[in-house]
Amino acid sequence: PFIRPEDISCYENIADAIKICGRTHGPGFLMRCINAYISRSYDGNLLDLMDAARWLGDIYHIDNKMLGSDFFNIMTTCTKDCKNCKICHKLFLKAGITKPVEIRQYKEFL
């Protein structure tokens, strides 16, 4: 359900449009997404572009550039047999980190 900005060209002959979700996340989120998809590139935490999984960005940082240019090919060969496959685990070890726990001040949520 998610297409990386770098992978839009893989859908050019299949889809007429790409929908950007997340209007409830505010203008900062939308501008970040729009800019990434216009430039077809994003240099940052991939989770920061996701609508439903965005909250994971507070826990993990997935370096989008570290996923590599073959990410689309890797993901489209997924067999959904996670128990016997280590592809996602290897990708996380390559491009992801767990962020340290951070306690934010209440005023940051207002």
Side-chain angles (χ1 to χ4, degrees), residues 18-92:
I18 300 294
K19 180 180 179 182
I20 297 176
C21 297
R23 68 175 183 239
T24 60
H25 295 305
F29 174 83
L30 289 173
M31 290 306 298
R32 180 173 49 251
C33 290
I34 291 167
N35 288 328
Y37 285 95
I38 286 173
S39 66
R40 296 182 179 212
S41 179
Y42 185 64
D43 188 15
N45 187 353
L46 184 61
L47 295 168
D48 290 342
L49 297 181
M50 295 185 177
D51 177 26
R54 186 176 82 117
W55 64 274
L56 288 168
D58 291 337
I59 303 168
Y60 303 106
H61 181 94
I62 308 295
D63 188 331
N64 186 47
K65 294 295 182 186
M66 292 293 295
L67 292 172
S69 59
D70 60 341
F71 180 77
F72 176 81
N73 293 330
I74 292 169
M75 290 291 98
T76 55
T77 61
C78 177
T79 62
K80 297 177 182 55
D81 183 16
C82 300
K83 184 177 178 182
N84 296 312
C85 178
K86 302 292 182 228
I87 291 174
C88 291
H89 179 72
K90 288 177 184 175
L91 280 171
F92 184 80

